[in-house]
Amino acid sequence: SARVSSGPWLSLSSYEKLKTTSGVPLPAGLDPSKREQYLSDDEFVKVMGMDKAAFKAMPGWKQLNKKKEAKLF
């Protein structure tokens, strides 16, 4: 995965950096269509209201709606 050594990327939580409204560009190498995959397990549960396995088990359209609600798409 991409590593960033300084700047606004390090000063924000993962979710704050990854959401589409952050205003902080994603580092090279991160797929903007899969922002949720870069959250820690704990932060994923906090943001999405379920664990990653439950999210992956959902139909694609429900995953997309969940990502939009969380501002990750």
Side-chain angles (χ1 to χ4, degrees):
S1 68
R3 294 182 65 93
V4 178
S5 60
S6 65
W9 186 256
L10 290 181
S11 65
L12 299 171
S13 76
S14 293
Y15 175 62
E16 290 299 317
K17 291 181 279 195
L18 289 167
K19 65 184 183 177
T20 55
T21 57
S22 72
V24 179
L26 291 179
L30 295 189
D31 184 343
S33 70
K34 297 179 178 171
R35 293 169 188 261
E36 75 285 355
Q37 291 182 2
Y38 305 109
L39 294 170
S40 70
D41 290 345
D42 289 344
E43 201 161 27
F44 190 94
V45 171
K46 228 187 294 184
V47 171
M48 305 298 269
M50 63 184 69
D51 63 23
K52 290 180 180 180
F55 179 78
K56 286 181 182 177
M58 292 170 56
W61 66 271
K62 283 190 174 183
Q63 289 181 19
L64 184 60
N65 286 346
K66 202 71 159 147
K67 289 185 343 183
K68 286 179 181 176
E69 287 172 16
K71 296 181 173 68
L72 292 172
F73 184 84

